[in-house]
Amino acid sequence: MTRLHRLLSAGLVVAALTQPAVAQTPNRAELEKAVAARHGVTVKALQDWIALPTIAAERRNVAEGAAYMVRLAQEAGFVNAKVVPTDGLPGVFGTIDVGAPVTMGVYFMYDVKQFDPAEWTSPPLEARIVDRPGEGKAIVGRGSVNQKGPEMAFLAALHALKAAGRRPPVNIVLVAEGEEEIASPNFHQIVQNPEVMAALKRTAGVFIPFNAQDRDGSAGVNLGAKGAVELQLIVGGETSNRYPKSDTHSSSHARIANPAWRLVKALDTLVADDGYTAAVDGWMENVKPLTARQRELVEQLSKRGSEADAKKASGGVGRWLGDDDYRSSIERLISRPTINIQGLVSGYSGPGGKTVLPSRAEAKIDLRLVPDQTRDEVVAKLRAHLAKHGFDDVKVNVSGGYGPNQTDENAPLIRAQKAVLDRWKIPYVINPRLAGSWPGVVFTGPPLGLPAGQIGIGRGGGAHAPDEWFLIESSDPKVAGMKEQTLLYVDLMYELAKQGRR
């Protein structure tokens, strides 16, 4: 089949898209009509959700965001959905129990990244629908693709089932958090809640709704993701009496230490002279090498898409680290842990000069981890490294984080995903590990030991950046819009009901 869908004036999803899955999803035409009939309602619901941002870093709309997530879940069929408190921002938990033999776990995040409206061409909370040349109609707004758009598509699948007068073919457990964008410091508390833990133990796996199509229409199946730790390194009057308590005149540097210089010196010890190889003692000792199968998958990934497109999507970079070729850069992306400086903050940065000696310097750091590294291990090694090099005046403030996750490609959740993509005739590659991060380790690690992954089709972009967008109607026959993504989740439920019986 050469087309995923055609756009009809009536707005219906056509047989060219849906024919392959009919055998697994009974009376599917009925569901297609339900999805199409609710499309306008679904888009409006997404726009309304974008208009209420929960921003963990700013503690913005904490209670409101959780309450709204409960409402969305209840309307979709999680009638018992409720807020789960933590030491930080709350989460949400709910179940749909239809007495099915198989249970599906779904992870949501309802928080979004910060934004500066001045950097956007379309107001970040208005969720305007814009034309993207060559792609179709997209919603532009903070959280549209990361992750409210894909999550709304999954909720729309539940609404479509209800509108068609039927129940899901699987039981469903929903867990949602409001702190993913600050590295999920308290999400483990939600999962460790006895009621939540008992429900998750019955699942065949947990997935996060996701956009996973490239411009050429091909999709990706991710078998894991790197872990992430967010922290700050701080030097100043609050960490040692050798620095001033408040900014002072720069002439004082003749007899007073500058915390910015001290921080720069500390940062320089964390990496080798090449500027990227981690130099923290013991940093690589628990890094698990790629298997032969994972290297085979890297080779397949290197033949997907184009290197030029990958560089464009990576901020317009001109060359990779170490002047790597494309394949080597992908292997590095998947297999190497990193120590990254997100930002440096100190002193005066306005127009002209101010001739001050700053009282404080801070580096915002993120660490990306691979199997078999853990959050506690790398934080301990970082602290020990700074102490060994005499930086006792550098404060390490860990604000969140978790380890990497990995899932076997033969797990029922992954088999179901691949089976649906095969029936839709969507070409895909298997990615051994996503370079980005999500807290899937709370599911894949002990005590649950569940499969986990990101599942979906369709497109979007600009996560964490200005003009974030999510494709709702595709003009490209190779790429799915929101209706198609919704139908894929319907098919996934039926396929997992088959694959997950055990």
Side-chain angles (χ1 to χ4, degrees), residues 169-194:
V170 291
N171 310 313
I172 306 173
V173 176
L174 171 69
V175 284
E177 68 163 317
E179 294 183 319
E180 199 280 340
E181 295 294 11
I182 56 170
S184 305
N186 299 292
F187 183 55
H188 63 284
Q189 295 179 16
I190 299 171
V191 173
Q192 289 168 2
N193 177 288

Side-chain angles (χ1 to χ4, degrees), residues 23-209:
Q24 297 298 331
T25 303
N27 300 318
R28 196 167 183 277
E30 184 181 43
L31 292 169
E32 296 163 22
K33 291 178 181 178
V35 170
R38 286 188 48 84
H39 181 63
V41 174
T42 300
V43 171
K44 180 62 166 59
L46 174 56
Q47 290 174 311
D48 291 344
W49 198 8
I50 290 171
L52 181 69
T54 297
I55 302 177
E58 300 173 352
R59 300 196 69 83
R60 181 174 176 181
N61 293 326
V62 171
E64 296 88 344
Y68 204 82
M69 183 70 254
V70 168
R71 174 185 147 191
L72 289 173
Q74 289 175 341
E75 291 174 347
F78 297 93
V79 293
N80 63 347
K82 59 187 177 183
V83 171
V84 180
T86 74
D87 290 341
L89 273 64
V92 172
F93 164 69
T95 60
I96 296 176
D97 189 349
V98 296
V102 177
T103 301
M104 164 191 283
V106 183
Y107 164 87
F108 274 22
M109 52 178 280
Y110 63 84
D111 64 317
V112 301
K113 271 293 185 187
Q114 308 94 305
F115 56 86
D116 180 355
E119 298 176 342
W120 291 60
T121 61
S122 179
L125 300 185
E126 287 189 13
R128 292 179 181 174
I129 298 176
V130 304
D131 289 320
R132 288 186 62 84
E135 296 210 59
K137 294 186 181 298
I139 285 182
V140 175
R142 175 53 86 223
S144 59
V145 71
N146 184 24
Q147 291 289 135
K148 291 180 177 179
E151 290 169 352
M152 186 58 72
F154 178 79
L155 295 177
L158 299 178
H159 280 288
L161 286 165
K162 186 162 54 172
R166 64 174 97 173
R167 302 186 303 175
V170 291
N171 310 313
I172 306 173
V173 176
L174 171 69
V175 284
E177 68 163 317
E179 294 183 319
E180 199 280 340
E181 295 294 11
I182 56 170
S184 305
N186 299 292
F187 183 55
H188 63 284
Q189 295 179 16
I190 299 171
V191 173
Q192 289 168 2
N193 177 288
E195 184 181 7
V196 178
M197 179 66 71
L200 285 170
K201 283 182 177 179
R202 297 192 292 270
T203 66
V206 182
F207 80 95
I208 177 172

Side-chain angles (χ1 to χ4, degrees), residues 108-365:
F108 274 22
M109 52 178 280
Y110 63 84
D111 64 317
V112 301
K113 271 293 185 187
Q114 308 94 305
F115 56 86
D116 180 355
E119 298 176 342
W120 291 60
T121 61
S122 179
L125 300 185
E126 287 189 13
R128 292 179 181 174
I129 298 176
V130 304
D131 289 320
R132 288 186 62 84
E135 296 210 59
K137 294 186 181 298
I139 285 182
V140 175
R142 175 53 86 223
S144 59
V145 71
N146 184 24
Q147 291 289 135
K148 291 180 177 179
E151 290 169 352
M152 186 58 72
F154 178 79
L155 295 177
L158 299 178
H159 280 288
L161 286 165
K162 186 162 54 172
R166 64 174 97 173
R167 302 186 303 175
V170 291
N171 310 313
I172 306 173
V173 176
L174 171 69
V175 284
E177 68 163 317
E179 294 183 319
E180 199 280 340
E181 295 294 11
I182 56 170
S184 305
N186 299 292
F187 183 55
H188 63 284
Q189 295 179 16
I190 299 171
V191 173
Q192 289 168 2
N193 177 288
E195 184 181 7
V196 178
M197 179 66 71
L200 285 170
K201 283 182 177 179
R202 297 192 292 270
T203 66
V206 182
F207 80 95
I208 177 172
F210 196 68
N211 281 121
Q213 273 188 291
D214 282 346
R215 282 295 299 268
D216 64 3
S218 63
V221 175
N222 297 313
L223 300 180
K226 287 184 175 180
V229 180
E230 287 205 4
L231 57 89
Q232 300 81 42
L233 300 182
I234 302 167
V235 184
E238 66 194 84
T239 69
S240 172
N241 62 8
R242 73 186 72 174
Y243 310 112
K245 300 289 186 185
S246 60
D247 290 1
T248 188
H249 197 280
S250 64
S251 64
S252 299
H253 190 30
R255 60 178 182 177
I256 298 176
N258 186 316
W261 278 121
R262 182 65 169 170
L263 179 60
V264 168
K265 296 293 185 182
L267 291 171
D268 190 47
T269 70
L270 301 183
V271 295
D273 288 344
D274 59 20
Y276 53 84
T277 301
V280 173
D281 292 344
W283 190 253
M284 300 292 291
E285 67 181 356
N286 290 325
V287 171
K288 187 176 181 179
L290 293 182
T291 65
R293 172 58 175 162
Q294 288 173 325
R295 289 194 296 272
E296 178 185 345
L297 294 175
V298 167
E299 183 68 28
Q300 294 174 14
L301 280 172
S302 69
K303 297 174 181 177
R304 177 194 185 193
S306 75
E307 183 175 15
D309 286 346
K311 287 180 176 178
K312 182 178 179 181
S314 301
V317 69
R319 57 182 180 172
W320 307 118
L321 281 181
D323 289 325
D324 278 353
D325 60 30
Y326 189 37
R327 187 208 173 281
S328 298
S329 76
I330 294 173
E331 182 167 338
R332 188 194 295 270
L333 184 67
I334 288 170
S335 65
R336 302 290 289 186
T338 59
I339 302 174
N340 178 59
I341 301 174
Q342 298 181 39
L344 294 170
V345 184
S346 185
Y348 177 71
S349 59
K354 199 178 179 183
T355 60
V356 296
L357 189 157
S359 60
R360 188 179 191 275
E362 175 180 338
K364 296 182 182 294
I365 303 289

Side-chain angles (χ1 to χ4, degrees), residues 4-33:
L4 281 178
H5 68 284
R6 295 195 298 266
L7 301 176
L8 297 184
S9 59
L12 298 181
V13 181
V14 299
L17 166 67
T18 60
Q19 184 67 31
V22 171
Q24 297 298 331
T25 303
N27 300 318
R28 196 167 183 277
E30 184 181 43
L31 292 169
E32 296 163 22
K33 291 178 181 178

